[in-house]
Amino acid sequence: MSTLLREHGFRVTKGKQALLQALHAHNAPLSVGALHEALGKHAPNPTTLYRSLLDLANAGIVRRTDLNTGIAHFEYTPERPHHHHIVCTSCNAIEEIDLCNVGTLEKKVARASKQFAHIDTHSLEFFGHCRACAQ
Ligand SMILES: [Zn+2]
Ligand SMILES: [Zn+2]
Ligand SMILES: [Zn+2]
């Protein structure tokens, strides 16, 4: 992870390494609050943490995901191909879904568009109730 940081021009600090390790270990989007908790006593203050996450997101090392919860979520992406999430609207459980069938839709959207030459990517999350909450 230090190589990854160096490749993207970041100073390799213990804080940034711990942050990436925590995100990597979780393997799903984490809110800034949950990440702050996961880092324990080594956690920087939430504002600094959030700023580091935005820097890492701009560099493409982490991805910011909007899960409609009003709280920014971040996940470690270098080893993870494009994927989607399902969020439980009762308990906020998140499941990773390694399935994407949006290629046809992208083409249709590009065709419907008057201003865009092509579409490069998309952000699409799903919402429902997990099995525990559906009972
Ligand atoms: Zn994910
Ligand atoms: Zn649930
Ligand atoms: Zn997709």
Side-chain angles (χ1 to χ4, degrees):
M1 266 163 216
S2 52
T3 320
L4 192 67
L5 285 170
R6 237 175 266 122
E7 271 172 14
H8 286 86
F10 287 108
R11 224 159 38 87
V12 179
T13 59
K14 276 215 175 77
K16 274 214 171 59
Q17 287 197 80
L19 195 164
L20 283 183
Q21 252 139 31
L23 279 176
H24 181 62
H26 190 66
N27 197 30
L30 262 178
S31 68
V32 179
L35 187 58
H36 190 262
E37 222 166 89
L39 289 171
K41 58 180 194 296
H42 301 297
N45 71 62
T47 315
T48 309
L49 183 60
Y50 184 65
R51 221 169 279 144
S52 300
L53 285 163
L54 288 182
D55 287 347
L56 293 168
N58 284 333
I61 301 173
V62 305
R63 172 175 144 197
R64 193 194 152 136
T65 310
D66 182 5
L67 299 173
N68 272 11
T69 50
I71 307 157
H73 281 69
F74 293 86
E75 70 183 320
Y76 184 80
T77 40
E79 290 155 27
R80 228 193 138 93
H82 176 86
H83 64 279
H84 294 274
H85 303 102
I86 312 180
V87 183
C88 175
T89 51
S90 289
C91 72
N92 289 335
I94 302 165
E95 187 173 343
E96 302 277 302
I97 302 293
D98 287 305
L99 168 85
C100 179
N101 202 4
V102 183
T104 325
L105 181 62
E106 277 193 354
K107 283 194 195 94
K108 283 186 181 157
V109 169
R111 234 177 283 141
S113 163
K114 292 184 180 72
Q115 294 183 48
F116 286 81
H118 45 81
I119 291 180
D120 305 313
T121 187
H122 56 263
S123 161
L124 175 69
E125 313 306 342
F126 298 86
F127 300 90
H129 286 87
C130 71
R131 287 191 200 281
C133 292
Q135 274 165 14

